[in-house]
Amino acid sequence: MIVAGFWFVSGLGAAAADGSKPGTAASAEIYRFAAGDLEAVFRTAAGGIQLESIEDARTRTALAVKGAPLFSLHMRRVSNGEERMLTASDGWGKTSAGSSRGGFVFEWAAFPEGELAGLTVRATARLDAPESAIRWALDVENRSADWSVRRCVFPQLDLAETSEDGALLFPRGPGEVQRGAWRREFHYRGNYPSGWCSMQFLAAYREGASPTGLYVGLHDPWGSTKHLDFLSTPKSRTVRLSVDVPAADMNQAGNDFRSSGEVVWRLLRGDWYDAARIYRSWARKEARWWPSLGPEGRADTPLWMRELSAWVMTGGAPEECLPAVKAFRAALGLPVGFHWYRWHQIPFDNDYPHYFPTKTGFAQGVGELQRAGVCVMPYINGRLWDSKDGGAEDLEFSRVALGAATKKEDGQPFLEQYGSKETNGEPVSLAVMCPATKLWKDRVRDIVLRLQRDEGTLGVYIDQIAAAAPALCMDKDHGHPLGGGRWWTQGYWDLLDAIRVAMPPGRVLTSECNAESFVRWFDGYLTWHWQYPGQVPAFPAIYGGAVQMFGRAYRGGPTQDLAMRMKAGQQLVFGEQIGWFDPKQAVEPQNLEFLRKVIQVRWNHRRYFYAGEMSRPPRLSGDVPQVRADWQWSGEWPVTTDAVLTGAWRLPAENRVLLLFANVSDSAVKARCVLDLEEYGLTQSQVRRVSSLDGVKSSDELFAVERLAEPIEFAAKSVAAWELTP
Ligand SMILES: [Zn+2]
């Protein structure tokens, strides 16, 4: 049996060769490649090369069908601005296919139009039989004196529907799964790296008796700027996946393009969790942002931050904040993190970055809170400079900042508005600063160090760095490649390195959202936007222990109490630190009772979350009801989840697993727990189970593994935890 191979098939015949038969495609030729169970078929014809299908050879399931060009190149003629799109499918004067070491190579050249004839595109694929994967690199050699490569869209795949409730996994927030998208209007576009496109992989799969699917990973260790896109066409029951990459030096004639890292197509027999594990195993080996992890997790993150289990947020002068924060701390009896907004005299989202002077008594308030077991983390923005930064006047913007602001192609700065107003009623326009510039690096460092050294705060939250997608800055004075590329992440890496080496011991940096490419430089990520129906903990499955996660936005509305329990329960099983609450809302009796249970359970088992890793969440079988509440993320925002939320966290070196069950509904739920103990490293016929309910130990016994499948009743508004060991 051939498990990895390369067949050359001419016409409709079935003659096979060993791959040593490259050639120029004059008439149509079919190429079939197999990597383990993954098969891809291409057709070369006059002018182009087209993907015909991707198939799971074992279940004979089509995973992708013909339609989308394998790549599209967006070109611009620099002398007159003319735009052209070239695709892999047609128009080329010469195409060829041949074998390369461990795989094959396609080439497109001789585009029959003057200057475009200087383009050569080469797609090199390695066949990875053990993993049933095809690993790609794409190179565009641009010998044109007048045309520039603006963007390269690669890969593009028309994904086939594999079942009526087929699933799409995409990296918004923690990861999200939507079902049946082939049959309805569906569009996701993620700008990477950002909070809404936090990781570089996608998957389409079916579950059930014959699971199969396709994992597509952009294994780019630099985290370059790119866009991930899913778009359904219900009429043809396809979903087009495309990865749109802006080119470096996109306005310069003759710029080459090279895909960064590998583009991986891999057979997926599993679900979102298995896809996340594939990505994790790549990221921990290759990603430049993977931190150094020891037996206790991040040694460069102080223990107080790794252990912290609850957060509140509010803002204003010390006398406005301190009483409520201290009241919550006292009610909880555990350490609390406090995200302090509006501690500065300038208004919010206005006159940035002139954060000093502070409001009166800030440093004293910080000291008082931290002595009382509250870890203080003030807000600053790490990305914006107000274009009218002295009230309604341009104080320093034009004179000092403009040179270091990101620029559009016409030389104007990228400006953003967030609803804040100048004193004259005009909207505040904030410039996006370029992280490659010394001015911005120095300014952010000075603000952070002043807060930590002079004001004494344990943390500083630097807004937007891990939330907002890169700007395609075109300012040639900044010294970075223009437009796309990998310079944006590197600019911030340098900026943050300079802070981390200089900050006093025991301090932390955090940022908004969870763009993965900055994990190593932050101690914590704010998960406030993890608010979507269908979200799954793919990010925690990859980065649990590598960065601490905290800070869902808790909101109001008629179902706010249930929404609060749903969010807190989900945070617990996702491995997040619980919060951030308005301290006044959190101490209301109907809230505090449940929050206290969730936070106590997290605190009791905190080591699992910072020293361990996520394992596959247990599944409950039986009649598990669902709950639905308005999470008020943006207007009315209905979210439905199971009434009992489950999670699993492991300390693999100690062979211990923690299973969590949070019943967020107000009724008891009876169900069976479906466990694969081998997956948790437990192969014995009996296990020791230490159970706790609502943070209080309830039993410690040896259990025959069959008995774990007996029906269990989860009490209303309760949190059960099982610790299993051999
Ligand atoms: Zn720049």
Side-chain angles (χ1 to χ4, degrees):
M1 187 180 73
I2 300 170
V3 288
F6 170 15
W7 293 267
F8 173 84
V9 185
S10 191
L12 297 173
D18 66 358
S20 58
K21 245 181 120 181
T24 297
S27 57
E29 289 170 343
I30 299 285
Y31 293 83
R32 179 183 297 272
F33 303 103
D37 283 341
L38 189 71
E39 282 190 13
V41 178
F42 297 86
R43 174 190 295 267
T44 75
I49 300 172
Q50 173 78 38
L51 176 79
E52 292 284 295
S53 67
I54 302 176
E55 217 178 83
D56 173 357
R58 191 176 346 147
T59 63
R60 304 281 14 141
T61 307
L63 303 175
V65 293
K66 73 175 166 194
L70 188 60
F71 67 78
S72 299
L73 275 183
H74 295 255
M75 307 293 299
R76 184 183 288 175
R77 189 170 206 145
V78 173
S79 58
N80 65 4
E82 180 190 348
E83 305 226 337
R84 284 292 299 273
M85 186 173 80
L86 312 185
T87 76
S89 303
D90 55 29
W92 300 85
K94 187 179 169 209
T95 59
S96 64
S99 61
S100 74
R101 184 194 293 260
F104 58 95
V105 58
F106 291 140
E107 200 170 287
W108 295 257
F111 203 84
E113 268 183 60
E115 279 279 325
L116 287 169
L119 277 180
T120 304
V121 181
R122 202 169 292 112
T124 310
R126 197 155 58 78
L127 300 174
D128 178 347
E131 300 200 328
S132 293
I134 301 178
R135 302 175 178 280
W136 292 92
L138 189 84
D139 282 280
V140 180
E141 194 181 291
N142 181 4
R143 292 278 164 80
S144 158
D146 200 10
W147 288 87
S148 70
V149 181
R150 302 285 297 182
R151 287 158 39 219
C152 175
V153 187
F154 172 77
Q156 289 185 111
L157 296 171
D158 278 356
L159 300 170
E161 183 181 54
T162 53
S163 78
E164 207 172 310
D165 65 344
L168 289 179
L169 167 68
F170 52 99
R172 181 157 59 194
E176 195 174 322
V177 170
Q178 291 217 13
R179 290 176 197 282
W182 285 261
R183 294 174 177 232
R184 58 185 164 89
E185 298 297 324
F186 175 75
H187 187 212
Y188 164 76
R189 185 172 180 85
N191 304 320
Y192 177 91
S194 77
W196 286 263
C197 187
S198 60
M199 302 169 284
Q200 306 175 105
F201 70 105
L202 306 135
Y205 57 90
R206 76 169 175 228
E207 291 163 282
S210 174
T212 188
L214 189 68
Y215 164 97
V216 176
L218 296 311
H219 291 181
D220 168 8
W222 299 94
S224 320
T225 302
K226 54 181 73 71
H227 309 275
L228 276 53
D229 205 287
F230 270 145
L231 178 65
S232 70
T233 305
K235 215 166 75 183
S236 60
R237 298 264 165 90
T238 54
V239 172
R240 179 162 295 185
L241 177 159
S242 40
V243 179
D244 183 351
V245 186
D249 287 327
M250 62 200 307
N251 64 343
Q252 310 207 343
N255 65 330
D256 293 337
F257 176 88
R258 179 155 298 131
S259 52
S260 184
E262 278 185 337
V263 173
V264 178
W265 301 352
R266 179 167 163 169
L267 189 68
L268 178 67
R269 290 200 206 284
D271 60 13
W272 65 267
Y273 179 79
D274 303 279
R277 295 295 290 192
I278 293 170
Y279 190 74
R280 180 180 189 270
S281 69
W282 166 76
R284 65 194 300 186
K285 287 198 292 278
E286 306 275 345
R288 301 291 161 134
W289 55 85
W290 192 268
S292 161
L293 296 180
E296 300 303 313
R298 283 276 292 267
D300 65 332
T301 294
L303 187 62
W304 68 261
M305 176 63 179
R306 283 176 278 156
E307 291 191 328
L308 201 58
S309 294
W311 283 87
V312 289
M313 66 89 95
T314 183
E319 62 273 18
E320 295 172 83
C321 309
L322 261 58
V325 174
K326 284 159 83 175
F328 179 71
R329 166 70 180 86
L332 197 63
L334 291 172
V336 169
F338 169 35
H339 195 171
W340 194 335
Y341 281 74
R342 293 179 285 107
W343 53 272
H344 37 72
Q345 297 193 7
I346 55 169
F348 189 70
D349 279 350
N350 200 338
D351 292 351
Y352 289 175
H354 307 307
Y355 297 97
F356 296 97
T358 69
K359 284 180 176 152
T360 309
F362 177 65
Q364 292 86 329
V366 169
E368 193 181 326
L369 285 172
Q370 289 181 169
R371 281 190 298 277
V374 176
C375 309
V376 177
M377 179 188 74
Y379 171 100
I380 65 163
N381 189 297
R383 192 170 155 272
L384 300 175
W385 195 307
D386 185 0
S387 60
K388 298 273 167 55
D389 58 341
E393 306 300 317
D394 181 348
L395 179 71
E396 286 188 0
F397 177 68
S398 295
R399 189 165 50 84
V400 177
L402 183 57
T406 57
K407 305 295 186 327
K408 296 185 270 194
E409 209 145 12
D410 63 4
Q412 293 303 305
F414 282 97
L415 296 173
E416 296 177 351
Q417 297 177 349
Y418 290 86
S420 52
K421 297 276 198 296
E422 302 287 4
T423 46
N424 61 8
E426 299 271 312
V428 177
S429 276
L430 301 130
V432 178
M433 300 303 291
C434 184
T437 61
K438 183 172 186 317
L439 178 101
W440 189 239
K441 286 175 181 156
D442 290 351
R443 181 63 65 122
V444 177
R445 183 198 60 207
D446 292 349
I447 297 165
V448 171
L449 294 181
R450 186 164 168 189
L451 277 167
Q452 292 179 336
R453 289 173 179 167
D454 300 352
E455 309 296 330
T457 66
L458 282 173
V460 177
Y461 169 87
I462 313 178
D463 203 27
Q464 291 199 323
I465 294 179
L472 299 181
C473 178
M474 300 297 283
D475 190 327
K476 61 182 184 344
D477 294 336
H478 294 173
H480 56 72
L482 301 181
R486 64 193 199 194
W487 58 271
W488 178 271
T489 48
Q490 282 181 289
Y492 272 120
W493 296 350
D494 294 345
L495 181 156
L496 295 162
D497 268 336
I499 299 175
R500 289 191 82 88
V501 298
M503 66 187 192
R507 311 304 169 96
V508 301
L509 302 179
T510 63
S511 188
E512 181 192 12
C513 300
N514 62 311
E516 64 180 352
S517 42
F518 310 101
V519 157
R520 178 148 80 83
W521 292 268
F522 285 111
D523 302 285
Y525 269 173
L526 188 84
T527 58
W528 78 305
H529 65 308
W530 291 11
Q531 304 282 350
Y532 290 80
Q535 61 190 7
V536 292
F539 187 89
I542 296 160
Y543 292 107
V547 68
Q548 319 309 314
M549 295 160 266
F550 71 99
R552 296 276 184 108
Y554 286 76
R555 300 261 162 98
T559 55
Q560 59 178 289
D561 295 348
L562 174 59
M564 180 180 261
R565 293 199 301 275
M566 291 166 78
K567 291 181 194 185
Q570 198 177 61
Q571 282 197 291
L572 176 72
V573 301
F574 280 20
E576 297 162 57
Q577 301 174 351
I578 315 301
W580 34 219
F581 313 109
D582 170 347
K584 288 182 183 144
Q585 189 187 8
V587 293
E588 287 170 18
Q590 80 280 12
N591 294 328
L592 187 62
E593 190 194 344
F594 185 73
L595 294 181
R596 200 200 297 271
K597 295 173 184 175
V598 174
I599 294 165
Q600 188 66 51
V601 170
R602 195 194 192 279
W603 178 258
N604 292 351
H605 301 292
R606 58 195 181 275
R607 204 164 149 265
Y608 280 93
F609 306 110
Y610 66 77
E613 59 183 58
M614 179 182 269
S615 224
R616 191 187 301 278
R619 203 160 52 76
L620 295 180
S621 78
D623 191 17
V624 180
Q626 295 197 310
V627 286
R628 176 183 161 104
D630 176 9
W631 283 24
Q632 298 216 334
W633 172 239
S634 176
E636 203 175 312
W637 193 264
V639 173
T640 301
T641 70
D642 287 342
V644 182
L645 303 168
T646 68
W649 286 78
R650 267 183 88 201
L651 290 163
E654 296 164 34
N655 208 6
R656 313 169 78 81
V657 63
L658 173 72
L659 304 182
L660 296 163
F661 309 90
N663 182 357
V664 300
S665 75
D666 48 18
S667 315
V669 173
K670 207 166 183 179
R672 287 172 196 274
C673 187
V674 184
L675 294 176
D676 180 354
L677 288 173
E678 278 184 35
E679 183 146 8
Y680 301 141
L682 298 170
T683 51
Q684 296 75 7
S685 58
Q686 58 177 15
V687 292
R688 182 170 164 218
R689 187 182 81 174
V690 178
S691 304
S692 73
L693 184 63
D694 299 334
V696 180
K697 186 169 156 183
S698 53
S699 69
D700 180 347
E701 53 194 322
L702 277 174
F703 246 75
V705 291
E706 306 80 48
R707 283 193 50 218
L708 290 170
E710 288 172 2
I712 318 148
E713 182 163 295
F714 300 101
K717 301 183 199 174
S718 73
V719 184
W722 297 353
E723 232 183 325
L724 304 181
T725 50

